[in-house]
Amino acid sequence: MQNIGVFAWEQVARNQFASVLRRAGLLNFAAQLKFVPLWLLLCYLILLNKPIWLLLPACFNLWFALGFFKRYRLMLDTPHSFISHSAQGYVSLRGRALLPAGESVRGLVNLPVTLWIPGYIEDQPFVLDDGHGRCLLYPRQAEIITSPADTYLDWLHAIYPGQELYVLGDMRTLKADNHQPIRHRMAELLSRWKLKPKVLLEAYDTNGNGRLDEEEWQEVCKTAERVAQEDLLDEQPAVGTHVIEQPSGGRLFMITNLPPARLAHRYRRAMWMHSAAWLGLMAIVYSASL
Amino acid sequence: MTSGLLIFTLLLVGAAVWGIALYNQLVLLKNNTDKAWSNIAVLLKQRNEELPKLITVCKEHMKYEKDTLERVIEARSKVASAMSSGDLNALGAAEDQLRIGLGNLFAVAEAYPELKASQGFLQLQRRITSLEDSIADRREFYNDAATINNVRIDQFPDLLIARPLSFKPYRLMTFSSAEKADVDVAAHFQS
């Protein structure tokens, strides 16, 4: 657990805006309604000076609108999966955030336990439990959109244990290699057993001559083959560790503690708003030039 | 005049970029559906590799159940050929046949205490049953991905890109009528 002094509280608060902006991206800031007055003010100032320069914010509006369109469609078009299905590839998941097994405390001293807090604990993996299974989330390269929890720290953007999360990302299941040929397994077993000749003689020296004859040795080999076969069958159904990571090909890796319906609505609204702003600004520039 | 040209260019760029974004999204949906299918295919392959082992174990004990075993073997080869040809209708039918065959096999196995006690048989039964469950789960995921893709390529404005560029709908993996039918509880209690 990281310790912060009393005065560092101001620093945590100051860091919040920059860190949240860095992890969620400018795009997610532009999706919020509080962005509108700032943008209008900027456009008004440009209009007063050089209206032609309004084409620059118009380009930004187009970029924002495309970004929101991409996110909105991804949320709608990515099939929902359960962790236990272990469907490999790009999936959307919903579940509760938890600390990994063996870890009971994480976060900053004097704060409730937090799994992820921008500016301080950003890269450590945590667990997602969807009621059907568990997977490890590696948030290092994720776009993380948080809203403050309903606590006395209503300014703090963080992910707490037990919070419902929505995740878009690449799911992989790591499995131990269970395709080792049976002959290799047998050879390993036999070389291990040879280290204990007394035990081998006790078990397989049926004629009691103090050594393993050809037939007795064949019996040892048969047992080794059976044990190797059983080991292989035991390993096959073992459930691997599920991991959610940054997808390849530049696809979006998103983690949010906002309800997905609310976030999708926000993206949709922002997409229309910025598309309208793009066209509106171009209309203003055109009329100003006449 | 200059600003008019700039605006016209920006409008063209905007329209082109929207078109590219739509195209990329359709490609992503296609890849998602292909990936969802490969998720099922890998399990079908694993199960098909386990079945001969099961048949071998059963053959040792079930001398008088040749028909049951042959039906499973036949269904297995039908699944394999349907998978290689990519014919989802044939695959659905073969899967139903295999599921019924396996159900019969496990039911008949109850009458062979030696087989039921065999560790190898029990492990294979567990493994195949678990693979069957996973196939059912992933079939649901595949159907979701395929439905999303099929709806998008028929929707406006996506169809303006999907039709000329020949984006194809995917067939769903349908459930057999036996699986969809209501469970006849009374029948289970008849002697």
Side-chain angles (χ1 to χ4, degrees), chain A residues 201-243:
Chain A
L201 281 174
E202 274 173 26
Y204 294 97
D205 184 16
T206 44
N207 55 15
N209 65 353
R211 60 190 176 85
L212 292 174
D213 301 328
E214 181 65 30
E215 280 181 13
E216 288 163 353
W217 180 247
Q218 287 302 321
E219 201 55 41
V220 176
C221 291
K222 271 186 193 169
T223 312
E225 189 176 358
R226 186 171 48 78
V227 172
Q229 185 74 46
E230 281 171 9
D231 284 353
L232 189 68
L233 285 168
D234 277 343
E235 281 177 26
Q236 274 172 341
V239 177
T241 307
H242 305 300
V243 171

Side-chain angles (χ1 to χ4, degrees), chain B residues 140-188:
Chain B
E140 197 182 314
F141 184 71
Y142 165 79
N143 282 344
D144 283 352
T147 306
I148 290 167
N149 176 78
N150 296 352
V151 169
R152 275 295 297 268
I153 61 174
D154 275 344
Q155 258 180 355
F156 183 83
D158 307 64
L159 64 88
L160 297 177
I161 288 170
R163 295 250 167 104
L165 295 175
S166 308
F167 280 87
K168 297 269 185 298
Y170 283 81
R171 277 178 187 278
L172 301 185
M173 279 192 85
T174 47
F175 295 83
S176 72
S177 51
E179 277 179 272
K180 285 191 287 189
D182 288 338
V183 176
D184 184 0
V185 179
H188 289 279

